[in-house]
Every structure is written in structure tokens, then in C-alpha cells.
């Protein structure tokens, strides 16, 4: 009951938070959630229960906006305009789908297209409702692009909020999470965790100018009932099993959707690959073949980042674990072959950065593996399950953290900041200049 415990700490500071707590208590008493009432639009404020921005296609010219509402909400229309433009434009009518396991609650989804690259837009969901902003990605890297990377996001609400508040002032273009988001485990009785997660996002992943920060997220074991598809006797490849066993991940995140992995290309300068380490489907077979052809087609792209949950080179767990071993056998040779520089991992709840590794050994031109998933979770002990000290770890710390990745032309710089706002790592390390 860690969630309940988290709410016995700081006093809720608004009627909406008090009611959020009541919803949780009801959920704990009666199982699946009743429809959330306040804040779902009936109060006339137009405020949704949650807001989630992401991309399904070209991040230069599109934006996917999801919002979530409770019962009796009249269909909300989205209007948008370029910041500074006089006219509001009407968004397309939203696709509406049920919020899994929360009665009378809905996901509304639209994709805005034909936008201008590198441009700030504003949108609102109702006349007189709050105006939010979003930003399309630039056409090239003449100006820096920044994203915040991490994983293992929310054991407790306060932990997630605290990290979000450290992240947002850095003004990242988007957030990349390598799995384990709301810790609902795909279970109907834990839907409340996603309601709360989306509420936290809407409250604390918005900049002071009102810009909602888009999110890309790979699946982790806590998105799936049983954690790994191999644990399910009912497993059958395809969307049907995925929708049943990972209902929130597939319903609430427009990308990557089925089959649980995908690539997003930012013009010709950046490609993000979201991969699935055995959660909603197998590492081997179709996914590995797809990974090979996807990396092979992007050897000219200067910045290619795979992000996935279970680490090839874990900081806490035993590296001989089955999933880690399969990632090293099937995926890391492809990273080596096609010139990946950095891969983002999670799952172990620490900060780690490996030495550059190629062919399973330290190599100056190798891949650096960064992780290990500690955005808003309790930390673990480094090396706790290692049979011997890990040769591959360059740096490992028990800090909750995020990594700010800055891309500028061909250059890559990664600053890791802990939840107190202190820089705990810099990659590449600043050279010592001769005096
Ligand atoms: Fe995990």
C-alpha cells in the first residue's frame, strides 16, 4: 500500500487533490474506480483529468494531444493557433475511447498536422479554459535540441512530482522514459495509479509559460500484468493479448502502439527507438529483425538512441539474468554494427553510466549504456545481485535523477541531475585543458 502511505505525508493542497485521495480510498475499498467527478469538465472550467502530448509521426509538423474526461462531460473541442496569430483554428474531431477500467471516463485523441517546424503553438479545450502551449521540433540542429531521459517514474506521487519540478526549468523539448511508468502492472484495480499519474503530469510537466512537455515511453514490466509475456499462459502474439495484459500502456500512449516498439525520426538528425524487453512481446524474432533493418537504414543519422527497460549492463541485478543476456546477445551487436553511441536503459533504480563497450569489452569507440531508471522510485543497492564487481560500470550512484541530453549539430552532451538539482554526472566529461 505504498500509494496510501505516500498520501499520508504532505497535506493535499487543493480540493481536487483531496478528492483524488478519496478516489484512491474508494478504489482500495471497492476495486475498480468509479468515474472521477471533479475536474472532469462538469465544473465549467474545461479542465480535463489528464493531458498527454506525444508524437505518432513527424515531430516537426505534427503533435498528438490526448486529454481525459469523466462522465457527463460534453464533447470538448480543441482549438489552436500559432502563438501570436489572431485566429483560433478548429482542431479535428477527437477519437474517443474508454479509459481502461475506469467507468465513464474517456480518452480523447487528436493529431494536429501541417504545423510549422520549430514553432510555438497554443491550444485550449474549451472557451475560457486554460490555454496550454506546445512546440514543434526544429528542422535541423543549428540550434540545440534537448530532451530529458529517465525511467521508473512513479513509486510515489511526491517522488515523481519532485523530479518533474527539477526537470521542467531545463525546458526540455520532450521527455524519454524507458519504461515502468505508473506501476499499475496492467491490473484493473490499479487504474487509480494512472489517473493520478496523468494528474501529476498535467500539474508538473508544464513549463511556467504553459508549455506541456511531450512524452515518449517504452514499455516496462510494470506496464504489463505479470511483467513479462513469458509469464502469461494466455500469451498469444498480437494486439488482443497486449490490450488485455497491458491495457493502460496501449490505450493511453499513442506511440509506439502495437506491436510495442517503434521508431520516431526527427528529420535527418535524430531517431529514437522505443524497444520492448520481453514485456508485451519477445526480444527475439520480429523485433530483432526490425531493429536490424531500422538501424541499418539510419547509419547516416548523427543521433540514434535506443531506449528500453531491462538493461544489457545492469547496475544492481545479475547481468546473467535471462533478459539482460538476450539483449546482449541479440541487440548490442547491432548497436555496435550500426554506430549507436548511447543506449538508454532502466529497471534497476540507480544512476549508472558504463564505459564505452564494443563486442562485450571496453572499447574507446564503443556504446555507452546510461540508466538505470530512478526518476521517482526508491533506489536499490548498486551491485546487490552481482556475483562480482561489474567491469563495465564507469559510474554508478544511488540517486534519483534524470539525464538532460543536448544535441547540437553532430555534438552530444549529457548532464545528469539528481532530485536536489545537483549535477552528478557529465558525459562526455569536460576535458582538462592545458594551462
Ligand atoms: Fe522494471
Amino acid at each position: 500500500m505504498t500509494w496510501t502511505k505516500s498520501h499520508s505525508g504532505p497535506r493535499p493542497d487543493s480540493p481536487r487533490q483531496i478528492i483524488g485521495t478519496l478516489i484512491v480510498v474508494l478504489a482500495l475499498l471497492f476495486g475498480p474506480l468509479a468515474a472521477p467527478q471533479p475536474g472532469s469538465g462538469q465544473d465549467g472550467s474545461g479542465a480535463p483529468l489528464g493531458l498527454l502530448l506525444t508524437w505518432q509521426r513527424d515531430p516537426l509538423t505534427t503533435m498528438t494531444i490526448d486529454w481525459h474526461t469523466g462522465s457527463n462531460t460534453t464533447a470538448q473541442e480543441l482549438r489552436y493557433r500559432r502563438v501570436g496569430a489572431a485566429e483560433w483554428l478548429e482542431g479535428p474531431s477527437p477519437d474517443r475511447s474508454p479509459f481502461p477500467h475506469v467507468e465513464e471516463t474517456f480518452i480523447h485523441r487528436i493529431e494536429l498536422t501541417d504545423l510549422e517546424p520549430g514553432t510555438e503553438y497554443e491550444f485550449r479545450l474549451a472557451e475560457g479554459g486554460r490555454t496550454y502551449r506546445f512546440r514543434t521540433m526544429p528542422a535541423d540542429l543549428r540550434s540545440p535540441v534537448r530532451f530529458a531521459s529517465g525511467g521508473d517514474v512513479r513509486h510515489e506521487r511526491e517522488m515523481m512530482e519532485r523530479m518533474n519540478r527539477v526537470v521542467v526549468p531545463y525546458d526540455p523539448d520532450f521527455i524519454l522514459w524507458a519504461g515502468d511508468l505508473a506501476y499499475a502492472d496492467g491490473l484493473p484495480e490499479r487504474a487509480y495509479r494512472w489517473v493520478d499519474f496523468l494528474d501529476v503530469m498535467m500539474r508538473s510537466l508544464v513549463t511556467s509559460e504553459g508549455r506541456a512537455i511531450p512524452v515518449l515511453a517504452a514499455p516496462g514490466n510494470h506496464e504489463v500484468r505479470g511483467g513479462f509475456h513469458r509469464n502469461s499462459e494466455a500469451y498469444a502474439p498480437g494486439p488482443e493479448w497486449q490490450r488485455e495484459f497491458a491495457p493502460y500502456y496501449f490505450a493511453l500512449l499513442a506511440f509506439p502502439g502495437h506491436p510495442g516498439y517503434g521508431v520516431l525520426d526527427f528529420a535527418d538528425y535524430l531517431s529514437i527507438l522505443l524497444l520492448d524487453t520481453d514485456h508485451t512481446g519477445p526480444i527475439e524474432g520480429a523485433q530483432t529483425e526490425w531493429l536490424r533493418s531500422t538501424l541499418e537504414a539510419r547509419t547516416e543519422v548523427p543521433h540514434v538512441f535506443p531506449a528500453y527497460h531491462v538493461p544489457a549492463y545492469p547496475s544492481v541485478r545479475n547481468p546473467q539474468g535471462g533478459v539482460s543476456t538476450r539483449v546482449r546477445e541479440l541487440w548490442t551487436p547491432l548497436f555496435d554494427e550500426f554506430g549507436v553511441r548511447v543506449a538508454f536503459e532502466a529497471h534497476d533504480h540507480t544512476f549508472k553510466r558504463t564505459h564505452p563497450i564494443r563486442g562485450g569489452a571496453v572499447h574507446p569507440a564503443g556504446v555507452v549504456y546510461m540508466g538505470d531508471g530512478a526518476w521517482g522510485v526508491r533506489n536499490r543497492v548498486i551491485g546487490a545481485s552481482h556475483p562480482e564487481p561489474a567491469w563495465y560500470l564507469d559510474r554508478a550512484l544511488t540517486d534519483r535523477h534524470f539525464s538532460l541530453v543536448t544535441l547540437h549539430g553532430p555534438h552530444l552532451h549529457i548532464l545528469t541531475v539528481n532530485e536536489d538539482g545537483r549535477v552528478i554526472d557529465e558525459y562526455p566529461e569536460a576535458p582538462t585543458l592545458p594551462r
Side-chain angles (χ1 to χ4, degrees), residues 152 178-180 183 220-222 228 279 309-310 317 346-349 380:
D152 303 76
D180 279 8
Y183 286 77
N221 50 299
H222 284 291
F228 297 85
H279 310 294
H309 189 62
V310 177
R317 290 177 166 86
H347 192 47
D348 272 16
H349 302 189
R380 294 199 181 98

Side-chain angles (χ1 to χ4, degrees), residues 326-399:
R326 268 196 299 288
V327 174
R328 288 197 307 277
E329 286 175 357
L330 294 170
W331 290 358
T332 65
L334 301 176
F335 301 164
D336 292 350
E337 185 177 348
F338 297 112
V340 170
R341 290 194 285 174
V342 175
F344 294 104
E345 310 189 315
H347 192 47
D348 272 16
H349 302 189
T350 63
F351 169 68
K352 74 109 187 274
R353 173 168 55 77
T354 70
H355 296 288
I357 299 168
R358 176 175 282 190
V362 175
H363 186 289
V367 181
V368 170
Y369 296 83
M370 296 204 58
D372 249 347
W375 187 284
V377 292
R378 287 174 290 281
N379 293 116
R380 294 199 181 98
V381 178
I382 291 156
S385 302
H386 279 230
E388 53 200 38
W391 56 266
Y392 48 78
L393 291 178
D394 189 0
R395 195 169 176 83
L397 299 164
T398 50
D399 280 69

Side-chain angles (χ1 to χ4, degrees), residues 211-246:
R211 184 173 70 86
I213 302 173
V215 161
L216 298 171
N221 50 299
H222 284 291
E223 273 64 73
V224 184
R225 217 181 308 165
F228 297 85
H229 75 287
R230 289 168 206 278
N231 294 336
S232 168
E233 282 181 13
Y235 177 71
E240 207 172 312
W241 182 91
Q242 290 181 323
R243 273 196 292 268
E244 188 182 343
F245 281 77

